[in-house]
Amino acid sequence: MRQTILRALEQVYGNLVHMIAEFLPRFLVMLIIIVIGLLVAFVLKYILRALLGLTKLDRVSDDAGASRVLRMAHLPPMTELLSRSIFWVTWIGFILVGLSVLGVAGLQEQISRLFQFLPEVFVAILILFLGAVIANFLSRTALLAAVNAGHPSPKILSWSIRFVIWILAISMTLEELGVARRTVISAFSIIFGATMLGLAIAFGLGGQDLARKCLERYLGDTKKKEEKEPQPL
Amino acid sequence: MAEDVFLSDDLLRQLMSVGEVDLLVGMSSLHAANTVSHALDEIEESFQRNFVRQRVVIVNVGGGDNDEDSARAKGHDNLAEKGVRVPGITSLRTSHRVAANVPGSPSPGIALRTILAAADLLRARACAVVSPAASNLTPDSVANLLRPVYREKFDFVAPLYTRNKYQGLLARNLLYPMSRALFGWGIRELFSEEWAFSGRLAALCLNQDVWHEEAIQARPEAWMAISAMASDFRCCQAFLGEKSQATKGLGRDIVEVLRQTVGTLFWCLETRQSLWLDSGRSQSVPTFGPAHELTSDPTDLDRHRIFEMFRSGVTELEPILSSILDPETHSEIKSIVSLEEGKFRFKSGLWVRTLYDFAASYHHAVINRDHLVQALAPLYRGMTYSFLAEHSDSSPAEMETASETLCGEFELQKPYLMERWKAKVEVKS
């Protein structure tokens, strides 16, 4: 009996040593891949930073209002943000490749699914970010134009535009992520269509007198405004 | 040369047939079909009266092959060829006319670039740009622009006008004092439709890589003046008579005018920092003819509407203004907004600080720069209302004194601008 136990222990010990002997090289390969990935990520980061610096992306970002959105979120400027993003994307990619080398059952499948999902996540984040920038820019454009034209309710106009663009951006993001696709599309269509129809009915039918007065005021005001302010130059 | 890239073959042929000239007068005849013939005749008469021995050319920049103005200018016989002579004057030279057809609707920047290229190719010593739509274009005004360059060797000539005391308030209360305080040159009409320059200034400006900039496309004349200042060229002013009322092109919409003028001024501050940021230069500007004059003709202005647009603008744009203005400046503006119309005054110190906050915020691009300039419109209306109320009974001499006081305030607060310009921007959410 003692022999059997010893033999069993020897076998387990042998298996363990064998497993470690098999695992260690893969672990070392993983570490090498991660270190190489870190170096590649650094190189790509500096190359991208130099290239984006030549294209004056920060200036374009300032003009588009993206820089302000980034500053409000306590994020670095666009060039730095993209450079750091490429660094982390590259390194995480190498880390995942390194992990897949370990050959752990089940992990490879999860890593594969994550790789497939990552592009959609990036696109979704991009859609949200662009939506925020465009909403910010267009709502501010509308506000300034309405204020300088003497429009009676400039903030309502501005907020309406911001609201519509945000709804559109969120719907597109959820559709990209594949979250309740049909529900989101249907809900967006219903809300947007109902809102536009309601506004058209309220203004054109319910407020036809007001609509007529607004048009008369607008067409008359444009000429009067030019005559009632001093020539600036 | 750079101009080979954008000058058409037809234009180059015309220029080569002209040869070298002493004087060049350029104009953009786009949308000026009714007045281009009259302008051409006035310029011709000026040449015959005042520059009988000089080689002269008129360059007319029009838009596209179907442009009536361009066809008219090209085919229109000049006074000399028609045998029309100014009584008692015999010109010794033929005056040439060159028609430059630019595809589409050429902006003022494109038109100026074409004129500069022509001046450079023809080695013109003195050049002038005039507007065919200007009602004050006379032979004397053309000569008054060209003489300081041709005879006195100045490099840039800005116009001076007789104005109604309630017109040109943007120039009087913003463009002139701000540019004088920062660039050190007291040029009253930095933005105008007529000015003159030397051949060497034309060559300098032509070779700068700025022609794609929106500020240059809209109003290139101020940039030319500032380029002359930056290169220590000689600048002066010449009296041209009464300022013509703007009909088209300039735009009487205040927002559009602000975008073109203040936007360009801020852009010049941004691109010419070395000229003004750490220097305290001050140069007097010689004037040919009388200094600018003010008249007191009555005008019909809706002051109540101006005040209401100021008040509603400041209230509605509060989030935007809070990101542009210093908190103290913004707080002061909010406190004067609540004043009654009869008691409202926009003090000069506050106005200067407001403008400097806008300039610094433009530099730091706290918001889109075009939006930033548009946000100035309500505040400009407030200053205009205050000015109209304060000077309703002032004489031109009193208004001139007030203008000098405002210039002094701009110079006094220059350190404030420099401090805000160099400061790190803080995000206001």
Side-chain angles (χ1 to χ4, degrees), chain B residues 193-214:
Chain B
E193 293 178 300
E194 47 224 349
W195 69 97
F197 49 91
S198 63
R200 69 178 189 138
L201 178 58
L204 174 79
C205 293
L206 187 63
N207 290 326
Q208 292 187 41
D209 186 23
V210 295
W211 295 103
H212 57 282
E213 297 284 347
E214 202 176 321

Side-chain angles (χ1 to χ4, degrees), chain B residues 326-385:
Chain B
D326 182 75
E328 198 179 318
T329 310
H330 193 202
S331 165
E332 272 192 69
I333 288 175
K334 283 195 285 190
S335 68
I336 64 171
V337 162
S338 58
L339 293 175
E340 286 176 19
E341 189 174 331
K343 294 180 182 172
F344 171 80
R345 287 294 179 268
F346 205 137
K347 290 186 182 166
S348 56
L350 177 60
W351 172 240
V352 172
R353 277 204 314 281
T354 302
L355 288 175
Y356 282 167
D357 284 344
F358 267 78
S361 297
Y362 182 96
H363 167 62
H364 294 298
V366 296
I367 63 172
N368 176 272
R369 285 169 169 168
D370 188 50
H371 289 172
L372 184 144
V373 174
Q374 289 183 52
L376 185 59
L379 297 164
Y380 169 74
R381 287 193 166 106
M383 183 282 305
T384 298
Y385 174 84

Side-chain angles (χ1 to χ4, degrees), chain B residues 36-195:
Chain B
V36 67
S37 297
H38 169 75
L40 290 167
D41 290 343
E42 295 293 303
I43 298 168
E44 284 277 2
E45 190 178 328
S46 182
F47 286 157
Q48 288 188 17
R49 281 184 186 278
N50 302 290
F51 304 101
V52 294
R53 294 176 183 275
Q54 280 71 35
R55 299 164 296 181
V56 296
V57 67
I58 303 172
V59 176
N60 180 25
V61 181
D65 291 330
N66 294 326
D67 188 37
E68 288 180 14
D69 317 323
S70 180
R72 194 170 295 163
K74 201 173 178 179
H76 193 327
D77 296 329
N78 61 31
L79 291 177
E81 289 176 7
K82 282 197 301 188
V84 175
R85 300 280 178 189
V86 175
I89 300 290
T90 303
S91 175
L92 300 176
R93 306 274 192 177
T94 301
S95 75
H96 299 273
R97 291 191 185 182
V98 171
N101 291 333
V102 179
S105 300
S107 65
I110 293 174
L112 178 64
R113 192 182 185 196
T114 306
I115 294 168
L116 294 182
D120 191 46
L121 268 172
L122 301 179
R123 297 178 187 265
R125 285 173 54 187
C127 315
V129 173
V130 299
S131 167
S135 58
N136 65 339
L137 182 63
T138 61
D140 286 337
S141 64
V142 175
N144 288 342
L145 282 173
L146 288 170
R147 257 193 228 107
V149 181
Y150 188 71
R151 303 227 160 100
E152 310 297 331
K153 310 289 186 255
F154 281 92
D155 293 291
F156 185 86
V157 181
L160 274 179
Y161 302 107
T162 298
R163 285 179 173 275
N164 180 285
K165 68 178 186 176
Y166 294 134
Q167 302 298 344
L169 296 185
L170 180 62
R172 169 177 290 277
N173 292 319
L174 194 162
L175 301 172
Y176 166 60
M178 192 165 182
S179 61
R180 175 174 148 174
L182 298 180
F183 293 113
W185 292 76
I187 293 180
R188 284 194 175 269
E189 304 283 350
L190 211 54
F191 294 87
S192 63
E193 293 178 300
E194 47 224 349
W195 69 97

Side-chain angles (χ1 to χ4, degrees), chain B residues 303 344-348 383-394 402:
Chain B
R303 294 186 195 180
F344 171 80
R345 287 294 179 268
F346 205 137
K347 290 186 182 166
S348 56
M383 183 282 305
T384 298
Y385 174 84
S386 177
F387 183 88
L388 293 173
E390 204 174 326
H391 294 286
S392 56
D393 296 321
S394 296

Side-chain angles (χ1 to χ4, degrees), chain A residues 56 58-75 133 136-156 158-159 162 221-233, chain B residues 163 166-171 175 191 213 219 243-246 250 252-255 257 261 267 300-302 305-306 309 312-313 315-317 319-320 323 364-369 371-372 374-375 377-378 380-381 384 388 425 427-429:
Chain A
K56 297 183 185 173
D58 283 340
R59 168 77 187 269
V60 174
S61 168
D62 285 344
D63 286 342
S67 293
R68 188 160 187 270
V69 174
L70 292 173
R71 282 198 296 264
M72 283 167 61
H74 297 285
L75 290 170
V133 171
N136 205 35
F137 184 85
L138 289 181
S139 69
R140 198 191 310 131
T141 302
L143 178 65
L144 284 164
V147 164
N148 287 326
H151 193 276
S153 307
K155 272 188 180 157
I156 293 176
S158 170
W159 277 106
R162 187 188 291 268
D221 254 3
T222 308
K223 194 174 172 187
K224 278 184 198 166
K225 190 172 66 174
E226 288 178 358
E227 294 165 356
K228 295 299 181 187
E229 287 201 66
Q231 182 185 354
L233 287 179
Chain B
R163 285 179 173 275
Y166 294 134
Q167 302 298 344
L169 296 185
L170 180 62
L175 301 172
F191 294 87
E213 297 284 347
R219 301 302 296 261
K243 170 78 174 172
S244 64
Q245 297 289 322
L250 250 188
R252 300 187 67 176
D253 175 31
I254 185 58
V255 176
V257 173
T261 56
W267 180 82
D300 175 29
L301 301 170
D302 188 351
R305 187 172 183 279
I306 294 172
M309 289 198 74
S312 65
T315 307
E316 300 287 353
L317 296 182
I320 297 177
S323 63
H364 294 298
V366 296
I367 63 172
N368 176 272
R369 285 169 169 168
H371 289 172
L372 184 144
Q374 289 183 52
Y380 169 74
R381 287 193 166 106
T384 298
L388 293 173
V425 66
V427 174
K428 296 173 191 172
S429 55

Side-chain angles (χ1 to χ4, degrees), chain A residues 212-224:
Chain A
R212 187 170 52 241
K213 281 179 190 169
C214 282
L215 282 170
E216 284 170 359
R217 193 172 355 128
Y218 174 75
L219 290 171
D221 254 3
T222 308
K223 194 174 172 187
K224 278 184 198 166

Side-chain angles (χ1 to χ4, degrees), chain A residues 17 56 79 85 88 107 115 120-121 129 139 146 160 195 201 219:
Chain A
V17 168
K56 297 183 185 173
T79 300
S85 301
W88 283 108
L107 185 62
F115 266 121
E120 289 167 9
V121 171
F129 178 74
S139 69
S160 303
T195 306
I201 292 171
L219 290 171

